[in-house]
Amino acid sequence: MVIKESGLSVSAFADRLGIQRSGLSHILNGRNKPSIDLIEKLLLAFPEMDANYFFKADATSKKSPSLPVASPDEKSENRTAVRVIVCYSDATFDTFDPNETK
């Protein structure tokens, strides 16, 4: 969806992200899953994207939304944290849920 919305070819998209074209091909074909590093590169290359989009798990949605962009007006003043994701430099991450009991 992001490639389509960007108007770039797959090769040009990979070049813009600074990743190998074969690596992007593996992701697009379902062989590999995108890493946190790739998502970081994507957000740096397309700063207008809302990072929260990548952490919304709605696998049942068949819609192809336009490029998700966060608007300051859309943010609620009465928000509470439901999950914290910490991304490490080795492309791993931890997820913390403040509602989980230890």
Side-chain angles (χ1 to χ4, degrees):
M1 178 208 60
V2 177
I3 294 170
K4 181 180 175 183
E5 291 287 329
S6 72
L8 298 171
S9 68
V10 174
S11 295
F13 188 80
D15 292 344
R16 183 162 175 187
L17 295 183
I19 63 172
Q20 292 185 359
R21 295 172 185 176
S22 61
L24 182 57
S25 175
H26 291 301
I27 292 168
L28 295 175
N29 293 322
R31 179 175 172 189
N32 297 345
K33 292 184 179 185
S35 66
I36 293 295
D37 184 51
L38 177 84
I39 294 172
E40 180 181 28
K41 289 179 180 186
L42 182 66
L43 293 171
L44 290 171
F46 297 92
E48 68 275 12
M49 291 198 65
D50 179 4
N52 292 318
Y53 174 79
F54 296 103
F55 300 104
K56 293 178 183 172
D58 185 12
T60 61
S61 176
K62 301 291 183 201
K63 295 191 304 184
S64 179
S66 60
L67 219 71
V69 178
S71 167
D73 297 336
E74 295 174 2
K75 294 182 179 177
S76 170
E77 294 296 324
N78 299 319
R79 298 184 294 178
T80 58
V82 295
R83 182 177 19 200
V84 177
I85 301 171
V86 179
C87 303
Y88 300 101
S89 60
D90 64 354
T92 61
F93 65 95
D94 285 323
T95 303
F96 301 95
D97 183 342
N99 297 317
E100 280 185 9
T101 56
K102 294 184 179 188

